[in-house]
Amino acid sequence: MPPAGSLPGVSGFQVHFADHDILTAGDRPDVLVAMNPAALKANLRDVPKGGTVIVDTDAFNDRTLQKAGYPASPLDDGSLADYHLHGVALTSMTVGALKGVEGVTPREAERSKNFFALGLMSWLYHRPTEGTVDFIAKKFAKRPEIVEANTRAFRAGWNYGETSEDFAVSYEVAPAPLASGTYRQITGNTAISYGLIAASRLAGLPLFLGAYPITPASAVLEELASRKDFGVITVQAEDEIAAVGAAVGASFGGALGVTVSAGPGIVLKAETIGLAVALELPLVIVDVQRAGPSTGMPTKPEQADLLMVLFGRNGESPVPVLAASSPSQCFDAAIEAARLALKYRTPVYLLSDAYLANGSEPWLVPDVADLPDISTSFAEPNGDPFEPYRRDRATLARPWAIPGTAGLEHRIGGLEKADVTGAISYDPDNHDLMVRLRAQKVAGIAADIPELEVDDPDGDAELLVIGWGSTYGPIMAGVRRARKQGIPVARAHLHHLNPLPRNTGDVLRRYERVLVPEMNLGQLAMLLRAEFLVDAVSYTKVRGRPLSARELEEAITTMVATA
Amino acid sequence: MSPGDGLVQLTAKDFKSDQEVRWCPGCGDYAILAGVQSFLPELGVPRENLVFVSGIGCAARFPYYMETYGMHSIHGRAPAIATGLSTSRPDLSVWIVTGDGDALSIGGNHLIHALRRNVNLTILLFNNRIYGLTKGQYSPTSELGKVTKSAPLGSVDQPFNPLSVAIGAEATFVARAIDTDKQGSAEILRAAAAHRGAAFVEILQNCNIYNDGAFDVVRDQKENRLYLRAGEEIRWGDKGVRMRPDGTLEIVDASVGGLLRHDPLRDDPGLAFALARLTFESAGAVPLGVFRSVTRPVYEDMVHEQVRTSIEEKGEGDLQALIRGADTWTIG
């Protein structure tokens, strides 16, 4: 990691709270707390004019200013005149507040300034303090002196806000009206892990994960590796190819085979996923997308793997593709991916991204009894010669006959197989038939997934905004802002990318104009235009950051204005 | 199961599938297939519990000819797929059939990791020192200078010694056989199948179309076979193997005495490695048999032991408790 105090070394954390359900981490903070000049420089552009800027004056000296590239102190030169600037001696006040706490080094005392700042923020926004105090006690339970130091710093910060006359106003944010029930915080990676464990239980099959460490997907491997009490088997494979290979092997043996990775790993798995298409075995592949190409920006989100997972295999190789839309929705998406994989005996892609993976949100914890039944059955001998490619008439899925079943011994592989018998076949008509059958099987899933829902409150919108994946929150927030301006706008969000919901074409054609915001250069827009001959217009940003509600509001208003 | 336990005794015929065998006439693979099919009844594992996994290459067609479960997968990946299968289903007997290109070139990484993990697999590597399916390019075991269609001026690639690779990869069982040596192969298959963990068997196999005669010096000239037998002196004809004071091996007249006795159970792999390095060119004979057979914890056993103890300590996972977590709040 680059050194603290340098511009690349700036790290930060953004919190968003509101009197309504929150859809994003917020695009533009109302308050910025800058612990040094570099942090100020790196983040000031995000703060709207009129916003509040709090700086640690102890950290502003010639050396740190120079490191951040400031010729003169911005605290003195009037360059921050558009903001409510508060210079607070965070470090020295924290160190002062901690005098007499035994066992805390001067360096540790300084580090407690985060809690001083949090105390100040808690006062400024009338946030309850008990939760933070409890958190400190739990988090640092092993070092009581640090609990004492952080608690003192936190209270000192709160008291400073209360006592100092520097802060003339404070704010109260009312509670948001939310559905009743039990809530928890959850990140996308944890939700995917839990969704996979739940799917294994709901299917009555052991969960097998083959994975190779990769940012930002490793947390799923780590989470599942710690859940052996659920019978979960994890193999940390020698490479991405082996990871998916092991999962295919486990699926052949009757497990719910899963592999998880990010773009650079997914490309390596492509050949094996093609094999799974030919074998027609269940397999779930989770792609936690990150900015590419190549190594790209490993920790930053992007949605640019869509066309790769749809088409990035040799031959006609159809694979169902799902995309999660929020951190907690990852749970349902993982179960749905497993359901389709098991029912249709097919590899299924689940797309997440770095924003969902590490972002967290409150989740209304579901009752396990309300989760769907996704159980499936293995083939059983009936005395006739076994035909591994005789398909179910409704789903076109083939039987899943697992080793250990006497009488169903059979061989499968990547070579083209004769319809029904599964024997190797290079017959031209048979190949044509098999290619079409595999495509029909995946296309037929459209009948088994929900229709695309449209959010068009008054039914008078002429513009539809349609998205997929983690842009769900920003698009919803942007649409709300446009509606507040009185602009009628409809919104829809795709969770199934292949096949698309069966009414997608109807929905698109119902609107005069279609706007498709994406964190890529227009991949879904290309699909919609190709598939439905609609004049879908792309709005794209690939900055390695989520789209912002404000820019989407602008994109909507601009589009309406130019109608 | 063994004969006399009341179950039907299978024969070689029971392991033949209805598929026509399509290797070139005269290929060494026929003898290996027949050898495996006639050995399996003796193994006593029910057909439904046997799985043959292969990659790509001539040898990789093997599973189609076996009346067991089988998967003809993709180039080099059989060890990865078999690792997943055997780990999730330790009740199965999983075999890999591979070739020199499949195992040591495109699949080299998977092979060494399956070996070092000691996954319970029996790996049969048919080494013909050539790419046969693609019609005659040099392989990772082709000798230096070999002239092929892809090396018209001779290969400049130093070849792998498959046994050196396996021993270097911490394999617990390493052996070598010859395709046409029915008795020797049966003994090795027996030992390999009985081994718990990854058993690696190199089978010298003649490709009569693209690399005919590659092993004539030991395949046809039986006097050049050096059979390694546990507890016996390492010798053939009137020659034997002795260790010099510096630890290297020397070939001596057997009558001088002081010959090494073969001990495949020796934990240190050094001697097995040295024996594996003996070639016809360097020693005048080709060692065959079981070079190394040691006991080490098996991957699947350890994986399932962790699952078992986790359930023992924490109880069977409670899904509702898991997703609820420790930190919740209630609204309404």
Side-chain angles (χ1 to χ4, degrees), chain A residues 138 178-185 194 197-198 201-202 208 223 226-239 241-242 245-250 252-255 271-272 275 279 281 331 362-363 365-369 371 401-415 423-424 426, chain B residues 17-19 22 46-51 53 61 63-75 77 79-89 91-92 106 109-111 113-114 116-117 299 303-304 306-308 310-311 314-332:
Chain A
K138 265 191 215 163
L178 292 175
S180 61
T182 300
Y183 285 78
R184 64 167 286 168
Q185 243 353 81
Y194 290 179
I197 291 173
R201 280 287 167 89
L202 298 168
F208 180 99
E223 176 65 36
S226 70
R227 299 296 172 192
K228 294 190 165 49
D229 50 326
F230 285 83
V232 179
I233 291 177
T234 54
V235 169
Q236 183 177 313
E238 58 271 22
D239 60 29
I241 298 170
V248 168
F252 184 54
E271 183 198 26
T272 309
L275 174 68
L279 298 178
L281 283 173
F331 178 80
W363 179 38
V365 180
D367 189 332
V368 167
L371 298 176
I402 63 166
T405 317
L408 300 188
E409 293 85 357
H410 67 285
R411 278 64 58 193
I412 54 176
L415 287 172
I424 301 169
Y426 289 1
Chain B
S17 78
D18 60 359
Q19 296 292 301
R22 292 190 184 178
R47 282 190 305 194
E48 64 270 21
N49 286 349
L50 281 163
V51 186
V53 182
R61 290 276 179 135
Y64 287 119
Y65 308 136
M66 298 296 299
E67 190 53 37
T68 62
Y69 282 89
M71 189 194 293
H72 175 215
S73 74
I74 40 180
H75 209 6
R77 317 302 174 207
I81 291 167
T83 294
L85 177 61
S86 191
T87 305
S88 64
R89 291 287 307 276
D91 56 314
L92 301 174
I106 196 165
N109 199 32
H110 308 308
L111 176 73
H113 287 275
R116 62 124 175 153
R117 288 192 184 104
Y299 186 72
V303 166
H304 287 272
Q306 289 190 348
V307 169
R308 205 181 55 75
S310 293
I311 292 173
K314 301 190 207 169
E316 183 92 35
D318 176 344
L319 183 58
Q320 189 69 64
L322 173 76
I323 64 176
R324 193 173 188 279
D327 228 346
T328 60
W329 67 94
T330 306
I331 291 179

Side-chain angles (χ1 to χ4, degrees), chain A residues 445-503:
Chain A
I445 292 173
D448 193 15
I449 59 176
E451 290 202 337
L452 180 60
E453 279 181 34
V454 182
D455 163 27
D456 185 358
D458 300 318
D460 59 348
E462 293 185 349
L463 169 65
L464 170 73
V465 183
I466 185 166
W468 66 280
S470 74
T471 54
Y472 172 83
I475 290 175
M476 177 92 100
V479 164
R480 278 184 187 169
R481 292 169 71 137
R483 283 177 186 159
K484 270 193 188 155
Q485 289 188 41
I487 300 171
V489 51
R491 187 195 59 84
H493 207 76
L494 290 162
H495 288 92
H496 290 86
L497 280 309
N498 188 40
L500 290 161
R502 54 195 175 277
N503 63 333

Side-chain angles (χ1 to χ4, degrees), chain A residues 263-286:
Chain A
I266 297 293
V267 289
L268 288 167
K269 297 178 193 293
E271 183 198 26
T272 309
I273 294 163
L275 174 68
V277 169
L279 298 178
E280 302 194 40
L281 283 173
L283 176 70
V284 174
I285 311 118
V286 180

Side-chain angles (χ1 to χ4, degrees), chain A residues 115-127:
Chain A
F115 281 99
F116 188 99
L118 184 59
L120 179 56
M121 289 301 101
S122 299
W123 174 82
L124 190 61
Y125 283 94
H126 289 235
R127 304 310 304 158

